[in-house]
Amino acid sequence: MALEVMARADSPIPLDVAFRVEPGELIALVGHSGSGKTTLLRSIAGLWRPETARVAVNGTTWLDTAARVDLPPHRRRVGIVFQNYALFPHMTAAQNVMAAMDTADYAEAERVLDLVNLHGLAHRKPAHLSGGQQQRVAVARALARKPHALLLDEPFSAVDRATREKLYDEIVALRAHLAMPVVLVTHDMNEAQFLADRMVVIEKGHVVQEDTTARVMADAHALRAMGIREVAAMLPAVIAEHGDDGLTRLDAPTGPLYLPWIDAVPGTGLRVRIMAHEVILSRAFPDGLSAQNIIAGTVTRIVPGAGPGVMIHVDVGGHEILARITRRAAEQMALQPGMTVHAILKSMSIARDHVVRAPDAASTAE
């Protein structure tokens, strides 16, 4: 049930984009505001038609301007989750879900609500649900259509950070139950890196890069289109223990990592996003530092930027850390591929929302 998308247009913005999303895959469309991300999503849903376009799912054509095929939105089996929930305020959660079904079925509505962790809340109206709960209803309603493709348009931008973190966990867990292609539009690179299998980076309506999330995050050209300060690496880790001093020790391929208290039990699998601009490198093992995390690794690649910076790729236990330093610093250190370095990372430099549970450990709370 792959989703194939091709869209070209001269207005309202220049657009020339094509991509494919496999069944069960989540692809993130990322780029600055006005780059064409939401316009593409509207094209898939049938809410806007480009001058030249083709949209097909599992061999069924929804839109083909050359063949004069253009199914209206209600005939496209697509589920959409908007950033502002778009729930019917006079309906209960179950009624909102049933509104998307071909045949209203209260028991099925309850089942889908349970799937997004809203057990026992089917009778509540949106005004009596939290922002996070309302967004879960919106996800349940999208799934109730039994969609052939699921579209997420900035789905977490209207909720606070703590709620957003929980929703990340739940989307990761929910994906185990989804077989359709999923397209996420987001300007939040933290969100894209946690949730997406692949990224399509769009700038001024054109694809700058399309690849796995890890490769895009290591691509200097793509990163310039997204904002260089968003460069980060992802490391898997497991909670080892909580200290009395407020730090949590993680076991990672790099060795122990110490981060501010993480509210999860020992043994919980995590993914940690480490920002490249927060990493300091040293040729020798540093002594007398306040930083709690000193990670030995090997330089694998040095990628110059357009300005005074360079990106240093460091292999640590079969995974990669990125360090963004100045070209002058790299020259003073005489850095070369194959050289041993020590990556230095302050515990307090990793934000709380840069740590999420691994897919097999996603929370089912709230």
Side-chain angles (χ1 to χ4, degrees), residues 194-229:
F194 280 141
L195 298 178
D197 302 305
R198 287 190 300 125
M199 291 185 188
V200 176
V201 183
I202 301 174
E203 185 176 28
K204 297 179 180 178
H206 290 76
V207 175
V208 174
Q209 176 63 290
E210 177 186 351
D211 212 327
T212 64
T213 297
R215 287 175 183 165
V216 168
M217 294 305 294
D219 184 294
H221 182 51
L223 292 169
R224 279 194 290 273
M226 296 184 291
I228 197 70
R229 284 187 65 83

PDB file of all heavy atoms in Angstrom, residues 194-229:
ATOM      1  N   PHE A 194      12.974  12.158  15.931  1.00  0.00           N
ATOM      2  CA  PHE A 194      12.467  11.112  16.813  1.00  0.00           C
ATOM      3  C   PHE A 194      11.493  10.169  16.096  1.00  0.00           C
ATOM      4  O   PHE A 194      11.472   8.979  16.360  1.00  0.00           O
ATOM      5  CB  PHE A 194      11.765  11.721  18.027  1.00  0.00           C
ATOM      6  CG  PHE A 194      12.696  12.184  19.107  1.00  0.00           C
ATOM      7  CD1 PHE A 194      12.441  13.359  19.791  1.00  0.00           C
ATOM      8  CD2 PHE A 194      13.808  11.444  19.453  1.00  0.00           C
ATOM      9  CE1 PHE A 194      13.301  13.792  20.793  1.00  0.00           C
ATOM     10  CE2 PHE A 194      14.670  11.876  20.448  1.00  0.00           C
ATOM     11  CZ  PHE A 194      14.421  13.052  21.121  1.00  0.00           C
ATOM     12  N   LEU A 195      10.673  10.717  15.194  1.00  0.00           N
ATOM     13  CA  LEU A 195       9.546   9.950  14.679  1.00  0.00           C
ATOM     14  C   LEU A 195       9.748   9.361  13.284  1.00  0.00           C
ATOM     15  O   LEU A 195       9.154   8.337  12.961  1.00  0.00           O
ATOM     16  CB  LEU A 195       8.288  10.827  14.657  1.00  0.00           C
ATOM     17  CG  LEU A 195       7.803  11.359  16.012  1.00  0.00           C
ATOM     18  CD1 LEU A 195       6.575  12.241  15.814  1.00  0.00           C
ATOM     19  CD2 LEU A 195       7.480  10.216  16.972  1.00  0.00           C
ATOM     20  N   ALA A 196      10.558  10.005  12.447  1.00  0.00           N
ATOM     21  CA  ALA A 196      10.586   9.641  11.028  1.00  0.00           C
ATOM     22  C   ALA A 196      11.618   8.569  10.702  1.00  0.00           C
ATOM     23  O   ALA A 196      12.719   8.551  11.262  1.00  0.00           O
ATOM     24  CB  ALA A 196      10.847  10.883  10.191  1.00  0.00           C
ATOM     25  N   ASP A 197      11.244   7.694   9.754  1.00  0.00           N
ATOM     26  CA  ASP A 197      12.206   6.751   9.180  1.00  0.00           C
ATOM     27  C   ASP A 197      13.054   7.454   8.131  1.00  0.00           C
ATOM     28  O   ASP A 197      14.248   7.210   8.012  1.00  0.00           O
ATOM     29  CB  ASP A 197      11.468   5.581   8.516  1.00  0.00           C
ATOM     30  CG  ASP A 197      10.573   4.842   9.491  1.00  0.00           C
ATOM     31  OD1 ASP A 197      11.091   4.398  10.527  1.00  0.00           O
ATOM     32  OD2 ASP A 197       9.364   4.722   9.226  1.00  0.00           O
ATOM     33  N   ARG A 198      12.400   8.301   7.347  1.00  0.00           N
ATOM     34  CA  ARG A 198      13.095   9.063   6.319  1.00  0.00           C
ATOM     35  C   ARG A 198      12.618  10.510   6.340  1.00  0.00           C
ATOM     36  O   ARG A 198      11.547  10.810   6.860  1.00  0.00           O
ATOM     37  CB  ARG A 198      12.833   8.469   4.915  1.00  0.00           C
ATOM     38  CG  ARG A 198      13.547   7.165   4.645  1.00  0.00           C
ATOM     39  CD  ARG A 198      13.453   6.758   3.173  1.00  0.00           C
ATOM     40  NE  ARG A 198      12.078   6.585   2.741  1.00  0.00           N
ATOM     41  CZ  ARG A 198      11.543   7.221   1.694  1.00  0.00           C
ATOM     42  NH1 ARG A 198      12.259   8.092   0.997  1.00  0.00           N
ATOM     43  NH2 ARG A 198      10.283   7.001   1.356  1.00  0.00           N
ATOM     44  N   MET A 199      13.429  11.387   5.768  1.00  0.00           N
ATOM     45  CA  MET A 199      13.075  12.798   5.654  1.00  0.00           C
ATOM     46  C   MET A 199      13.141  13.225   4.201  1.00  0.00           C
ATOM     47  O   MET A 199      14.009  12.770   3.447  1.00  0.00           O
ATOM     48  CB  MET A 199      14.037  13.677   6.456  1.00  0.00           C
ATOM     49  CG  MET A 199      13.947  13.550   7.953  1.00  0.00           C
ATOM     50  SD  MET A 199      15.050  14.771   8.713  1.00  0.00           S
ATOM     51  CE  MET A 199      14.953  14.263  10.439  1.00  0.00           C
ATOM     52  N   VAL A 200      12.211  14.109   3.829  1.00  0.00           N
ATOM     53  CA  VAL A 200      12.291  14.827   2.562  1.00  0.00           C
ATOM     54  C   VAL A 200      12.468  16.298   2.930  1.00  0.00           C
ATOM     55  O   VAL A 200      11.569  16.906   3.516  1.00  0.00           O
ATOM     56  CB  VAL A 200      11.022  14.626   1.713  1.00  0.00           C
ATOM     57  CG1 VAL A 200      11.099  15.458   0.440  1.00  0.00           C
ATOM     58  CG2 VAL A 200      10.839  13.154   1.358  1.00  0.00           C
ATOM     59  N   VAL A 201      13.644  16.834   2.622  1.00  0.00           N
ATOM     60  CA  VAL A 201      13.936  18.228   2.950  1.00  0.00           C
ATOM     61  C   VAL A 201      13.529  19.088   1.759  1.00  0.00           C
ATOM     62  O   VAL A 201      13.998  18.874   0.637  1.00  0.00           O
ATOM     63  CB  VAL A 201      15.431  18.425   3.262  1.00  0.00           C
ATOM     64  CG1 VAL A 201      15.695  19.870   3.685  1.00  0.00           C
ATOM     65  CG2 VAL A 201      15.873  17.466   4.358  1.00  0.00           C
ATOM     66  N   ILE A 202      12.641  20.054   2.007  1.00  0.00           N
ATOM     67  CA  ILE A 202      12.096  20.888   0.937  1.00  0.00           C
ATOM     68  C   ILE A 202      12.497  22.340   1.170  1.00  0.00           C
ATOM     69  O   ILE A 202      12.365  22.863   2.277  1.00  0.00           O
ATOM     70  CB  ILE A 202      10.564  20.775   0.883  1.00  0.00           C
ATOM     71  CG1 ILE A 202      10.161  19.314   0.659  1.00  0.00           C
ATOM     72  CG2 ILE A 202       9.991  21.648  -0.234  1.00  0.00           C
ATOM     73  CD1 ILE A 202       8.669  19.075   0.744  1.00  0.00           C
ATOM     74  N   GLU A 203      12.996  22.965   0.123  1.00  0.00           N
ATOM     75  CA  GLU A 203      13.354  24.382   0.177  1.00  0.00           C
ATOM     76  C   GLU A 203      12.825  25.055  -1.084  1.00  0.00           C
ATOM     77  O   GLU A 203      13.133  24.630  -2.205  1.00  0.00           O
ATOM     78  CB  GLU A 203      14.867  24.557   0.276  1.00  0.00           C
ATOM     79  CG  GLU A 203      15.297  26.002   0.451  1.00  0.00           C
ATOM     80  CD  GLU A 203      16.798  26.145   0.651  1.00  0.00           C
ATOM     81  OE1 GLU A 203      17.547  25.288   0.159  1.00  0.00           O
ATOM     82  OE2 GLU A 203      17.213  27.116   1.299  1.00  0.00           O
ATOM     83  N   LYS A 204      11.986  26.081  -0.893  1.00  0.00           N
ATOM     84  CA  LYS A 204      11.396  26.830  -2.008  1.00  0.00           C
ATOM     85  C   LYS A 204      10.736  25.895  -3.024  1.00  0.00           C
ATOM     86  O   LYS A 204      10.870  26.072  -4.232  1.00  0.00           O
ATOM     87  CB  LYS A 204      12.458  27.694  -2.679  1.00  0.00           C
ATOM     88  CG  LYS A 204      13.033  28.762  -1.758  1.00  0.00           C
ATOM     89  CD  LYS A 204      14.093  29.589  -2.442  1.00  0.00           C
ATOM     90  CE  LYS A 204      14.644  30.643  -1.498  1.00  0.00           C
ATOM     91  NZ  LYS A 204      15.731  31.447  -2.125  1.00  0.00           N
ATOM     92  N   GLY A 205      10.033  24.878  -2.494  1.00  0.00           N
ATOM     93  CA  GLY A 205       9.251  24.000  -3.343  1.00  0.00           C
ATOM     94  C   GLY A 205      10.020  22.905  -4.046  1.00  0.00           C
ATOM     95  O   GLY A 205       9.443  22.166  -4.850  1.00  0.00           O
ATOM     96  N   HIS A 206      11.301  22.759  -3.758  1.00  0.00           N
ATOM     97  CA  HIS A 206      12.118  21.735  -4.387  1.00  0.00           C
ATOM     98  C   HIS A 206      12.741  20.828  -3.326  1.00  0.00           C
ATOM     99  O   HIS A 206      13.014  21.263  -2.208  1.00  0.00           O
ATOM    100  CB  HIS A 206      13.229  22.365  -5.235  1.00  0.00           C
ATOM    101  CG  HIS A 206      12.725  23.052  -6.467  1.00  0.00           C
ATOM    102  ND1 HIS A 206      12.109  24.289  -6.405  1.00  0.00           N
ATOM    103  CD2 HIS A 206      12.728  22.675  -7.768  1.00  0.00           C
ATOM    104  CE1 HIS A 206      11.761  24.654  -7.638  1.00  0.00           C
ATOM    105  NE2 HIS A 206      12.124  23.695  -8.478  1.00  0.00           N
ATOM    106  N   VAL A 207      12.968  19.570  -3.700  1.00  0.00           N
ATOM    107  CA  VAL A 207      13.591  18.619  -2.776  1.00  0.00           C
ATOM    108  C   VAL A 207      15.097  18.875  -2.726  1.00  0.00           C
ATOM    109  O   VAL A 207      15.789  18.806  -3.758  1.00  0.00           O
ATOM    110  CB  VAL A 207      13.320  17.168  -3.209  1.00  0.00           C
ATOM    111  CG1 VAL A 207      14.086  16.195  -2.307  1.00  0.00           C
ATOM    112  CG2 VAL A 207      11.828  16.865  -3.152  1.00  0.00           C
ATOM    113  N   VAL A 208      15.589  19.185  -1.536  1.00  0.00           N
ATOM    114  CA  VAL A 208      17.023  19.370  -1.323  1.00  0.00           C
ATOM    115  C   VAL A 208      17.696  18.030  -1.061  1.00  0.00           C
ATOM    116  O   VAL A 208      18.787  17.751  -1.559  1.00  0.00           O
ATOM    117  CB  VAL A 208      17.270  20.327  -0.138  1.00  0.00           C
ATOM    118  CG1 VAL A 208      18.755  20.422   0.204  1.00  0.00           C
ATOM    119  CG2 VAL A 208      16.706  21.700  -0.449  1.00  0.00           C
ATOM    120  N   GLN A 209      17.025  17.190  -0.283  1.00  0.00           N
ATOM    121  CA  GLN A 209      17.562  15.876   0.050  1.00  0.00           C
ATOM    122  C   GLN A 209      16.428  14.959   0.462  1.00  0.00           C
ATOM    123  O   GLN A 209      15.457  15.394   1.070  1.00  0.00           O
ATOM    124  CB  GLN A 209      18.591  15.988   1.196  1.00  0.00           C
ATOM    125  CG  GLN A 209      19.174  14.688   1.707  1.00  0.00           C
ATOM    126  CD  GLN A 209      19.969  13.925   0.660  1.00  0.00           C
ATOM    127  OE1 GLN A 209      19.393  13.389  -0.290  1.00  0.00           O
ATOM    128  NE2 GLN A 209      21.275  13.883   0.815  1.00  0.00           N
ATOM    129  N   GLU A 210      16.549  13.696   0.116  1.00  0.00           N
ATOM    130  CA  GLU A 210      15.615  12.668   0.559  1.00  0.00           C
ATOM    131  C   GLU A 210      16.424  11.437   0.920  1.00  0.00           C
ATOM    132  O   GLU A 210      17.127  10.876   0.084  1.00  0.00           O
ATOM    133  CB  GLU A 210      14.604  12.311  -0.531  1.00  0.00           C
ATOM    134  CG  GLU A 210      13.647  11.181  -0.126  1.00  0.00           C
ATOM    135  CD  GLU A 210      12.740  10.720  -1.256  1.00  0.00           C
ATOM    136  OE1 GLU A 210      12.722  11.388  -2.305  1.00  0.00           O
ATOM    137  OE2 GLU A 210      12.071   9.690  -1.074  1.00  0.00           O
ATOM    138  N   ASP A 211      16.341  11.049   2.185  1.00  0.00           N
ATOM    139  CA  ASP A 211      17.142   9.896   2.629  1.00  0.00           C
ATOM    140  C   ASP A 211      16.675   9.491   4.020  1.00  0.00           C
ATOM    141  O   ASP A 211      15.730  10.065   4.559  1.00  0.00           O
ATOM    142  CB  ASP A 211      18.632  10.262   2.648  1.00  0.00           C
ATOM    143  CG  ASP A 211      19.536   9.063   2.333  1.00  0.00           C
ATOM    144  OD1 ASP A 211      19.164   7.923   2.702  1.00  0.00           O
ATOM    145  OD2 ASP A 211      20.590   9.272   1.720  1.00  0.00           O
ATOM    146  N   THR A 212      17.367   8.497   4.584  1.00  0.00           N
ATOM    147  CA  THR A 212      17.060   8.105   5.953  1.00  0.00           C
ATOM    148  C   THR A 212      17.307   9.288   6.873  1.00  0.00           C
ATOM    149  O   THR A 212      18.109  10.191   6.556  1.00  0.00           O
ATOM    150  CB  THR A 212      17.925   6.922   6.400  1.00  0.00           C
ATOM    151  OG1 THR A 212      19.308   7.336   6.422  1.00  0.00           O
ATOM    152  CG2 THR A 212      17.762   5.727   5.466  1.00  0.00           C
ATOM    153  N   THR A 213      16.644   9.275   8.007  1.00  0.00           N
ATOM    154  CA  THR A 213      16.794  10.376   8.954  1.00  0.00           C
ATOM    155  C   THR A 213      18.248  10.571   9.352  1.00  0.00           C
ATOM    156  O   THR A 213      18.748  11.701   9.387  1.00  0.00           O
ATOM    157  CB  THR A 213      15.927  10.106  10.197  1.00  0.00           C
ATOM    158  OG1 THR A 213      14.556  10.058   9.791  1.00  0.00           O
ATOM    159  CG2 THR A 213      16.101  11.196  11.237  1.00  0.00           C
ATOM    160  N   ALA A 214      18.953   9.477   9.644  1.00  0.00           N
ATOM    161  CA  ALA A 214      20.346   9.580  10.079  1.00  0.00           C
ATOM    162  C   ALA A 214      21.217  10.213   9.002  1.00  0.00           C
ATOM    163  O   ALA A 214      22.072  11.065   9.291  1.00  0.00           O
ATOM    164  CB  ALA A 214      20.880   8.201  10.451  1.00  0.00           C
ATOM    165  N   ARG A 215      21.006   9.838   7.737  1.00  0.00           N
ATOM    166  CA  ARG A 215      21.839  10.387   6.664  1.00  0.00           C
ATOM    167  C   ARG A 215      21.533  11.851   6.396  1.00  0.00           C
ATOM    168  O   ARG A 215      22.436  12.639   6.115  1.00  0.00           O
ATOM    169  CB  ARG A 215      21.657   9.550   5.398  1.00  0.00           C
ATOM    170  CG  ARG A 215      22.331   8.186   5.480  1.00  0.00           C
ATOM    171  CD  ARG A 215      22.028   7.343   4.258  1.00  0.00           C
ATOM    172  NE  ARG A 215      22.623   6.024   4.367  1.00  0.00           N
ATOM    173  CZ  ARG A 215      22.289   4.993   3.605  1.00  0.00           C
ATOM    174  NH1 ARG A 215      21.333   5.125   2.688  1.00  0.00           N
ATOM    175  NH2 ARG A 215      22.882   3.826   3.763  1.00  0.00           N
ATOM    176  N   VAL A 216      20.259  12.205   6.470  1.00  0.00           N
ATOM    177  CA  VAL A 216      19.906  13.618   6.268  1.00  0.00           C
ATOM    178  C   VAL A 216      20.541  14.479   7.351  1.00  0.00           C
ATOM    179  O   VAL A 216      21.068  15.568   7.080  1.00  0.00           O
ATOM    180  CB  VAL A 216      18.375  13.811   6.252  1.00  0.00           C
ATOM    181  CG1 VAL A 216      18.008  15.295   6.344  1.00  0.00           C
ATOM    182  CG2 VAL A 216      17.780  13.203   4.992  1.00  0.00           C
ATOM    183  N   MET A 217      20.526  13.987   8.587  1.00  0.00           N
ATOM    184  CA  MET A 217      21.075  14.764   9.693  1.00  0.00           C
ATOM    185  C   MET A 217      22.593  14.869   9.634  1.00  0.00           C
ATOM    186  O   MET A 217      23.199  15.605  10.412  1.00  0.00           O
ATOM    187  CB  MET A 217      20.639  14.165  11.031  1.00  0.00           C
ATOM    188  CG  MET A 217      19.150  14.253  11.301  1.00  0.00           C
ATOM    189  SD  MET A 217      18.483  15.937  11.200  1.00  0.00           S
ATOM    190  CE  MET A 217      19.301  16.727  12.577  1.00  0.00           C
ATOM    191  N   ALA A 218      23.218  14.127   8.718  1.00  0.00           N
ATOM    192  CA  ALA A 218      24.662  14.222   8.539  1.00  0.00           C
ATOM    193  C   ALA A 218      25.017  14.883   7.206  1.00  0.00           C
ATOM    194  O   ALA A 218      26.184  14.918   6.830  1.00  0.00           O
ATOM    195  CB  ALA A 218      25.291  12.826   8.600  1.00  0.00           C
ATOM    196  N   ASP A 219      24.037  15.431   6.515  1.00  0.00           N
ATOM    197  CA  ASP A 219      24.236  16.028   5.196  1.00  0.00           C
ATOM    198  C   ASP A 219      24.290  17.548   5.337  1.00  0.00           C
ATOM    199  O   ASP A 219      23.296  18.191   5.667  1.00  0.00           O
ATOM    200  CB  ASP A 219      23.099  15.610   4.258  1.00  0.00           C
ATOM    201  CG  ASP A 219      23.309  16.112   2.839  1.00  0.00           C
ATOM    202  OD1 ASP A 219      23.287  17.348   2.642  1.00  0.00           O
ATOM    203  OD2 ASP A 219      23.485  15.283   1.943  1.00  0.00           O
ATOM    204  N   ALA A 220      25.450  18.115   5.070  1.00  0.00           N
ATOM    205  CA  ALA A 220      25.646  19.555   5.294  1.00  0.00           C
ATOM    206  C   ALA A 220      24.721  20.392   4.421  1.00  0.00           C
ATOM    207  O   ALA A 220      24.172  21.406   4.872  1.00  0.00           O
ATOM    208  CB  ALA A 220      27.107  19.918   5.022  1.00  0.00           C
ATOM    209  N   HIS A 221      24.526  19.989   3.159  1.00  0.00           N
ATOM    210  CA  HIS A 221      23.672  20.762   2.246  1.00  0.00           C
ATOM    211  C   HIS A 221      22.231  20.769   2.740  1.00  0.00           C
ATOM    212  O   HIS A 221      21.568  21.814   2.778  1.00  0.00           O
ATOM    213  CB  HIS A 221      23.758  20.168   0.847  1.00  0.00           C
ATOM    214  CG  HIS A 221      22.951  20.913  -0.181  1.00  0.00           C
ATOM    215  ND1 HIS A 221      23.044  22.286  -0.366  1.00  0.00           N
ATOM    216  CD2 HIS A 221      22.016  20.485  -1.075  1.00  0.00           C
ATOM    217  CE1 HIS A 221      22.229  22.667  -1.328  1.00  0.00           C
ATOM    218  NE2 HIS A 221      21.583  21.596  -1.769  1.00  0.00           N
ATOM    219  N   ALA A 222      21.742  19.596   3.155  1.00  0.00           N
ATOM    220  CA  ALA A 222      20.376  19.503   3.667  1.00  0.00           C
ATOM    221  C   ALA A 222      20.215  20.304   4.947  1.00  0.00           C
ATOM    222  O   ALA A 222      19.201  20.974   5.160  1.00  0.00           O
ATOM    223  CB  ALA A 222      20.001  18.040   3.908  1.00  0.00           C
ATOM    224  N   LEU A 223      21.224  20.254   5.784  1.00  0.00           N
ATOM    225  CA  LEU A 223      21.131  20.933   7.067  1.00  0.00           C
ATOM    226  C   LEU A 223      21.112  22.449   6.908  1.00  0.00           C
ATOM    227  O   LEU A 223      20.498  23.148   7.708  1.00  0.00           O
ATOM    228  CB  LEU A 223      22.290  20.496   7.969  1.00  0.00           C
ATOM    229  CG  LEU A 223      22.204  19.027   8.417  1.00  0.00           C
ATOM    230  CD1 LEU A 223      23.495  18.591   9.059  1.00  0.00           C
ATOM    231  CD2 LEU A 223      21.030  18.824   9.353  1.00  0.00           C
ATOM    232  N   ARG A 224      21.769  22.957   5.897  1.00  0.00           N
ATOM    233  CA  ARG A 224      21.702  24.402   5.665  1.00  0.00           C
ATOM    234  C   ARG A 224      20.280  24.825   5.337  1.00  0.00           C
ATOM    235  O   ARG A 224      19.835  25.912   5.690  1.00  0.00           O
ATOM    236  CB  ARG A 224      22.664  24.798   4.542  1.00  0.00           C
ATOM    237  CG  ARG A 224      24.112  24.939   5.000  1.00  0.00           C
ATOM    238  CD  ARG A 224      24.953  25.641   3.953  1.00  0.00           C
ATOM    239  NE  ARG A 224      25.163  24.808   2.781  1.00  0.00           N
ATOM    240  CZ  ARG A 224      26.146  23.927   2.668  1.00  0.00           C
ATOM    241  NH1 ARG A 224      26.997  23.751   3.671  1.00  0.00           N
ATOM    242  NH2 ARG A 224      26.287  23.220   1.567  1.00  0.00           N
ATOM    243  N   ALA A 225      19.544  23.945   4.649  1.00  0.00           N
ATOM    244  CA  ALA A 225      18.152  24.253   4.318  1.00  0.00           C
ATOM    245  C   ALA A 225      17.256  24.179   5.543  1.00  0.00           C
ATOM    246  O   ALA A 225      16.209  24.829   5.600  1.00  0.00           O
ATOM    247  CB  ALA A 225      17.644  23.290   3.244  1.00  0.00           C
ATOM    248  N   MET A 226      17.638  23.364   6.538  1.00  0.00           N
ATOM    249  CA  MET A 226      16.803  23.189   7.726  1.00  0.00           C
ATOM    250  C   MET A 226      17.205  24.105   8.868  1.00  0.00           C
ATOM    251  O   MET A 226      16.426  24.351   9.770  1.00  0.00           O
ATOM    252  CB  MET A 226      16.885  21.723   8.205  1.00  0.00           C
ATOM    253  CG  MET A 226      16.331  20.729   7.225  1.00  0.00           C
ATOM    254  SD  MET A 226      16.334  19.041   7.874  1.00  0.00           S
ATOM    255  CE  MET A 226      18.083  18.683   7.927  1.00  0.00           C
ATOM    256  N   GLY A 227      18.444  24.574   8.856  1.00  0.00           N
ATOM    257  CA  GLY A 227      18.954  25.361   9.978  1.00  0.00           C
ATOM    258  C   GLY A 227      20.062  24.595  10.664  1.00  0.00           C
ATOM    259  O   GLY A 227      19.814  23.559  11.278  1.00  0.00           O
ATOM    260  N   ILE A 228      21.276  25.093  10.549  1.00  0.00           N
ATOM    261  CA  ILE A 228      22.446  24.331  10.976  1.00  0.00           C
ATOM    262  C   ILE A 228      22.426  23.998  12.463  1.00  0.00           C
ATOM    263  O   ILE A 228      22.976  22.995  12.900  1.00  0.00           O
ATOM    264  CB  ILE A 228      23.743  25.091  10.603  1.00  0.00           C
ATOM    265  CG1 ILE A 228      24.963  24.168  10.653  1.00  0.00           C
ATOM    266  CG2 ILE A 228      23.926  26.318  11.474  1.00  0.00           C
ATOM    267  CD1 ILE A 228      24.993  23.144   9.554  1.00  0.00           C
ATOM    268  N   ARG A 229      21.769  24.823  13.275  1.00  0.00           N
ATOM    269  CA  ARG A 229      21.756  24.556  14.717  1.00  0.00           C
ATOM    270  C   ARG A 229      20.908  23.345  15.068  1.00  0.00           C
ATOM    271  O   ARG A 229      20.924  22.889  16.205  1.00  0.00           O
ATOM    272  CB  ARG A 229      21.255  25.792  15.486  1.00  0.00           C
ATOM    273  CG  ARG A 229      22.303  26.893  15.581  1.00  0.00           C
ATOM    274  CD  ARG A 229      21.822  28.008  16.494  1.00  0.00           C
ATOM    275  NE  ARG A 229      21.680  27.561  17.862  1.00  0.00           N
ATOM    276  CZ  ARG A 229      22.670  27.484  18.745  1.00  0.00           C
ATOM    277  NH1 ARG A 229      23.899  27.792  18.383  1.00  0.00           N
ATOM    278  NH2 ARG A 229      22.445  27.097  19.979  1.00  0.00           N
TER     279      ARG A 229
END
